[in-house]
Amino acid sequence: MSLGDAESGGTAALRALAHPIRLQIMSLLTGASLTAAEIARELGITHANASYHLRNLQSGGLIVVAGEEKIRGGVAKRYRYYPEIGRGPLAPEEYPVIARELIRRSARGRRPGPAVVGDGELWVDADVWKEIRDRIGAALVDLHAAAQPPRTPGTIRTSTTVALFEMVAE
């Protein structure tokens, strides 16, 4: 099945998000540009499977080729994901995919110690909302900028999921 191109009204991007391995790949590509072989090793999948998912993500316009390098006489592409903070509302089709990824991450367990978890359907002043939303958005940009390749010595593996949005009036 062809995914089409990134200009087809976002359909290709939504299809690209429809597989949990692709979300894992996008998470890996936030911290570093990686080749298909490196992704395959990190996720415990075949090189062919990693390449297939990378093509889907690239067709959806969700990742970019960040460079190429010669490896054993061939050329390997390095891919990277640059998250768009504040890209607008999620499409309804994206919520189940994101929810499955959050369930996958939480099932892997976490170390005891401090964590930040919050949930609420809150009514707040519009100016307060904008200020807090912008602060959290800036913190996410900082966190993504600080991300390192998987298993870099001295780093810790974290999970970050944030969803802030205004709700429609009922």
Side-chain angles (χ1 to χ4, degrees):
M1 161 172 71
S2 173
L3 288 176
D5 56 38
E7 287 79 39
S8 62
T11 303
L14 289 174
R15 287 186 190 162
L17 286 171
H19 198 287
I21 286 179
R22 294 184 200 133
L23 290 176
Q24 292 176 47
I25 290 172
M26 287 172 60
S27 290
L28 288 173
L29 294 178
T30 298
S33 59
L34 300 171
T35 66
E38 292 167 333
I39 289 168
R41 279 192 298 274
E42 184 64 27
L43 297 180
I45 60 177
T46 66
H47 185 278
N49 199 3
S51 294
Y52 169 78
H53 289 299
L54 286 165
R55 282 192 307 275
N56 279 270
L57 289 166
Q58 188 178 16
S59 293
L62 296 169
I63 62 171
V64 297
V65 175
E68 294 182 347
E69 63 184 55
K70 291 188 181 206
I71 299 178
R72 285 174 270 178
V75 176
K77 292 180 182 176
R78 290 196 158 277
Y79 297 90
R80 185 72 192 247
Y81 167 59
Y82 296 102
E84 298 174 353
I85 304 302
R87 69 178 176 97
L90 295 175
E93 298 86 356
E94 291 179 276
Y95 288 106
V97 176
I98 292 169
R100 281 195 307 270
E101 177 63 5
L102 182 57
I103 290 167
R104 181 196 67 81
R105 288 184 195 172
S106 63
R108 299 196 75 175
R110 67 176 190 87
R111 291 188 170 153
V116 176
V117 178
D119 180 50
E121 190 172 317
L122 312 168
W123 291 81
V124 296
D125 178 81
D127 290 335
V128 170
W129 159 252
K130 183 182 180 324
E131 192 269 326
I132 291 172
R133 183 200 60 211
D134 292 350
R135 263 192 324 193
I136 293 172
L140 288 171
V141 169
D142 292 345
L143 189 60
H144 281 279
Q148 301 289 318
R151 304 178 197 289
T152 298
T155 61
I156 58 171
R157 186 176 187 179
T158 66
S159 177
T160 303
T161 304
V162 176
L164 299 169
F165 51 89
E166 290 182 42
M167 298 179 68
V168 281
E170 294 178 1

